[in-house]
Amino acid sequence: MNLHHWIQLFIDQVNQTTLWEWLAVLFGVTEVLLAKVNNIWLYPTGIAGTFIGIYILLIAGLYAESALNVYYLVMSVYGWYHWIKKRNGPPVKITWSTRTEWTITLLIVFAGWPVLYVILKNFTTSNVPVWDAWVASTAWAGMWLLAKRKLENWILLNVSNLFAIPLLCYKNLIMFSALTLFLFIVAFFGFFEWLAIWRKEKAAENTLITQ
C-alpha cells in the first residue's frame, strides 16, 4: 500500500466518525488544555467526555477500557469535590516511587491483566480480551501513581497509550486513536516537566540543609 492509500483510508475513517465520537474527543482535548492552565472547569468537561466515552467504548466492545472510564468518572467527581474544598491547601510533592510502591504498581499490572482477561473472555463478547485487558491494567497502575504524584505515572500511562492507539484504530475509533496519540505526546512532555519540578524542589531542600 502506498502513502496515498493510507491517507485515503484515514479520510474515509474520519468521514465515518460519529457525532458522539467528535464530542468525546472535543471534551477530551478541552479537559487536557484546562488542566494545563489549572482551571477547575477541567472536571465538568472531563465528566461529560467520559460519559460519552463509556457509551462509545461499550458499543465498540472495548469493555475493559469502558470500565476504566468509569474509574476516570469517579476520580473526576472526587477531584472536583476535593478542588472546591481544599484548593488552597499545599499540593502533594512530586516524588519517585519507593520499592514498595513499585511492587504495588507491578501487582496492579500483572495481576490485573489476567483477571481482566478472564472476565472479558468468559463474560463478554470481546474479540480482543488480551489487548483490552493490558491497556486497562497499565492505565490503572498509571492512575494510581498519578494520584500519589509519582513521576513514573507518565511512563505507565504512556505504555497504556502506546497499545491503545492501534487497538482503537482496529476498532475503527480513529478519532479516539488520534486523541490517545495527543495524550501520549502530553504525557511525554509531562514527565520532563514533573522531573524539572522535582529537581527544583530537591535543590531547594538541599540548600536549606546546608544553610
Side-chain angles (χ1 to χ4, degrees):
M1 295 183 185
N2 55 33
L3 180 60
H4 174 75
H5 175 85
W6 285 111
I7 293 173
Q8 188 58 50
L9 181 62
F10 177 79
I11 293 172
D12 290 343
Q13 289 185 322
V14 168
N15 290 334
Q16 293 171 17
T17 300
T18 66
L19 175 61
W20 287 114
E21 289 174 55
W22 282 111
L23 284 173
V25 170
L26 177 62
F27 280 127
V29 172
T30 303
E31 179 190 9
V32 171
L33 295 177
L34 288 172
K36 187 174 178 59
V37 298
N38 212 33
N39 189 303
I40 194 172
W41 280 96
L42 75 96
Y43 290 111
T45 304
I47 289 168
T50 302
F51 264 121
I52 299 171
I54 290 169
Y55 167 74
I56 293 170
L57 291 168
L58 281 174
I59 296 299
L62 294 174
Y63 302 104
E65 282 217 57
S66 184
L68 181 63
N69 272 262
V70 173
Y71 172 74
Y72 290 157
L73 180 63
V74 172
M75 292 305 295
S76 292
V77 172
Y78 169 77
W80 195 1
Y81 168 79
H82 190 71
W83 180 308
I84 293 172
K85 190 175 181 180
K86 299 182 177 180
R87 63 181 303 174
N88 296 319
V92 178
K93 286 190 175 182
I94 295 168
T95 56
W96 291 94
S97 298
T98 63
R99 182 176 295 181
T100 300
E101 287 165 338
W102 257 116
T103 300
I104 294 171
T105 299
L106 293 175
L107 279 173
I108 293 172
V109 174
F110 292 105
W113 186 17
V115 169
L116 285 171
Y117 166 75
V118 170
I119 293 172
L120 292 172
K121 184 70 175 177
N122 294 289
F123 300 101
T124 74
T125 58
S126 175
N127 64 340
V128 284
V130 175
W131 205 347
D132 195 11
W134 173 255
V135 169
S137 64
T138 48
W140 274 93
M143 289 299 294
W144 182 77
L145 290 171
L146 177 61
K148 296 179 73 64
R149 298 276 284 176
K150 299 298 177 178
L151 268 159
E152 295 91 341
N153 89 84
W154 300 111
I155 298 172
L156 268 295
L157 289 175
N158 259 358
V159 169
S160 178
N161 289 333
L162 188 63
F163 283 87
I165 292 167
L167 175 61
L168 292 165
C169 282
Y170 173 74
K171 286 293 187 175
N172 293 320
L173 297 173
I174 194 68
M175 286 296 100
F176 269 37
S177 181
L179 174 60
T180 305
L181 176 59
F182 173 71
L183 296 177
F184 180 91
I185 295 169
V186 170
F188 178 81
F189 288 104
F191 174 82
F192 290 103
E193 286 180 13
W194 277 35
L195 182 60
I197 294 170
W198 175 80
R199 285 174 174 168
K200 184 178 179 180
E201 291 177 346
K202 202 70 177 176
E205 288 175 6
N206 291 336
T207 301
L208 288 173
I209 292 171
T210 55
Q211 285 179 349

